[in-house]
Amino acid sequence: MEEQEYFFQTTEPAKIIKHFIAGVDFDVELVQVALPKLYRHKPIYNVGLYHELGHFYDNDYKIVKHCLVMEPSLKPEASHLEEYFSDIIAASYTGYAIHKFLSCLVPDEKSCESHPATKDRLKNIEDFLEGKTNKYIDIFNKVITARGLPEIKIRFIKPDIHKCFNNIRPYEIKSIEEVHGILDAAWEFLEMAQKSKDSPWCDINEFEIHRIVNDLVEKSIRNRMIKEKWEHATS
Amino acid sequence: MQLLNSTEIKESLLSTDDDSIFIDPIFEESQVSGVTVDLRLGYDFLVSVTTRKPYIAVGHENDHFPRSIGSYFQETRREIGDGFVLYPNQVVLATTVEYISLPQNVYIDVLSRSSYTRLGLHMNNMVQPGFRGCVPLELFNHGNNAIELVVGSRICQARFMKLDDNNSYLGNGKPRKYYGDVRPTVSKADMDNDIEILANISNAKNNV
């Protein structure tokens, strides 16, 4: 049961941190997002956090509210618009990783009051990643342009991790865009490894393949973080 | 069998061959010197804790009150530069910061650096040819005083031994329990095949 722990209490993160660490101040707004402890060592499932970040962005800049002002006929779909918008934000950073995550987590979910059907969410993500537009992407872009906010565009680079991961070695991440993009690359790689009949994957069971790919992603990201800290301290 | 010197180790580290020595990250070139490579204390720890059950049972088959080995350890994380206090007689599982990949004909011995042995910290580990992962470190403080270790400090050293023949790490039907680990993992002694055989012997004896 310990593995399935989930605890979340809404709070003001900056206020709490300032209370416990004297002298700490922030010139940026902190965002509090959480996901089940079950995923703490499974970074490829952390793409859900990008979706939650999309909700924060929407709440802060009132994107969907402005959409409804601009297009009142969409009012019955207000909550669905929020989900579509957050999915697009997630896709702009993680590409098809959020698509594969949804397909894995809620493959056949029907439309309900709060969320659109999974198939519609997936179609929306596909449209965005393929550079197509639809009525939702169209209205989001109109609001964002009208408000002078940064455009929603692809903000990741998908690295080629095959040579490293096939040799069970972490990938050396070269940019912040690759930090996001490695999630997309890893989902794709995981699917390949699970079907592979080649060494080393043919000698490893499915559960272990899943663990190893997640661990290689985590170590690739951690190595970049600690190298940055070291370089900062020594430069 | 041949002990590799720093020139040979550096040559292998620079090689793009899939079966070369790989260590990442290496913060300073000076980590490779003489006949060893200094390795750094990692940021994830599993700290031994006591529980309501007074012992860890490895032979679970005969146990009427099973409890996982993992439940005797508490997971905690630090950041590079943070302190970690190791108390006397305490077992703590950690790893190196460095992720290591060994060729099929090279194994390493991992030993505590003299500066840490003098504090009461003793490590002695052997890593098989072909291993992938962060090197597991089983920390134990033999002294009377607690030691505050610094995460990311050069705590141990590896010496590289080259064998005459390759030795496949995976395959050959050999189960590998700690392959590709990037954080400390609790003992999987209870998964050893011989534990099951021994349980069968014990059960047969008790049923006579």
Side-chain angles (χ1 to χ4, degrees), chain B:
Chain B
M1 195 160 63
Q2 172 204 346
L3 177 63
L4 297 183
N5 62 35
S6 60
T7 308
E8 291 162 321
I9 295 169
K10 282 176 185 171
E11 268 175 22
S12 189
L13 283 171
L14 291 171
S15 167
T16 54
D17 188 73
D18 280 351
D19 202 29
S20 60
I21 297 172
F22 170 90
I23 303 177
D24 189 41
I26 292 186
F27 293 143
E28 296 171 304
E29 246 186 67
S30 62
Q31 280 179 245
V32 187
S33 68
V35 290
T36 59
V37 177
D38 288 345
L39 302 175
R40 298 173 183 276
L41 179 63
Y43 34 82
D44 285 318
F45 299 90
L46 285 173
V47 181
S48 173
V49 292
T50 50
T51 72
R52 279 186 288 179
K53 185 172 179 178
Y55 60 91
I56 300 174
V58 175
H60 55 91
E61 290 293 324
N62 292 329
D63 202 321
H64 299 297
F65 178 26
R67 185 173 186 124
S68 71
I69 293 177
S71 68
Y72 291 85
F73 291 85
Q74 184 181 333
E75 185 178 337
T76 184
R77 172 172 278 187
R78 300 288 185 275
E79 292 299 326
I80 293 287
D82 285 353
F84 180 85
V85 179
L86 182 66
Y87 292 94
N89 297 316
Q90 187 181 36
V91 174
V92 172
L93 308 180
T95 67
T96 57
V97 166
E98 295 85 359
Y99 188 100
I100 286 183
S101 159
L102 293 177
Q104 293 185 63
N105 63 345
V106 172
Y107 81 86
I108 58 173
D109 290 315
V110 182
L111 310 161
S112 42
R113 287 180 60 226
S114 170
S115 300
Y116 286 88
T117 311
R118 292 163 204 234
L119 297 174
L121 184 65
H122 216 74
M123 277 176 278
N124 188 347
N125 199 358
M126 186 261 195
V127 181
Q128 298 274 357
F131 173 83
R132 302 285 190 276
C134 296
V135 177
L137 302 176
E138 293 85 24
L139 307 178
F140 187 83
N141 179 356
H142 293 268
N144 294 321
N145 297 298
I147 310 166
E148 185 178 32
L149 302 170
V150 179
V151 174
S153 59
R154 291 179 296 124
I155 194 170
C156 56
Q157 55 195 338
R159 61 178 176 220
F160 292 73
M161 306 295 292
K162 189 174 179 181
L163 306 170
D164 296 331
D165 299 309
N166 284 352
N167 195 323
S168 174
Y169 191 80
L170 292 174
N172 303 331
K174 287 185 292 187
R176 290 296 180 185
K177 296 182 291 190
Y178 308 104
Y179 190 60
D181 281 353
V182 300
R183 68 186 71 81
T185 309
V186 294
S187 166
K188 294 178 185 170
D190 56 339
M191 290 167 63
D192 285 348
N193 288 339
D194 56 356
I195 294 293
E196 193 176 338
I197 296 167
L198 292 166
N200 290 339
I201 292 171
S202 176
N203 288 338
K205 185 181 72 181
N206 292 337
N207 289 335
V208 169

Side-chain angles (χ1 to χ4, degrees), chain A residues 6 20 28 33 62-63 90 128 135 180 197 205 211 217:
Chain A
Y6 182 76
F20 285 106
V28 291
V33 287
K62 311 281 185 279
I63 305 294
F128 171 74
K135 69 173 178 177
H180 306 303
K197 291 183 170 53
N205 69 46
R211 178 189 66 77
V217 172

Side-chain angles (χ1 to χ4, degrees), chain A residues 58 62-69 78-79 81-82 85 140:
Chain A
D58 175 29
K62 311 281 185 279
I63 305 294
V64 169
K65 281 187 180 167
H66 279 81
C67 289
L68 300 180
V69 171
S79 59
L81 248 65
E82 291 169 4
F85 179 75
F140 296 145

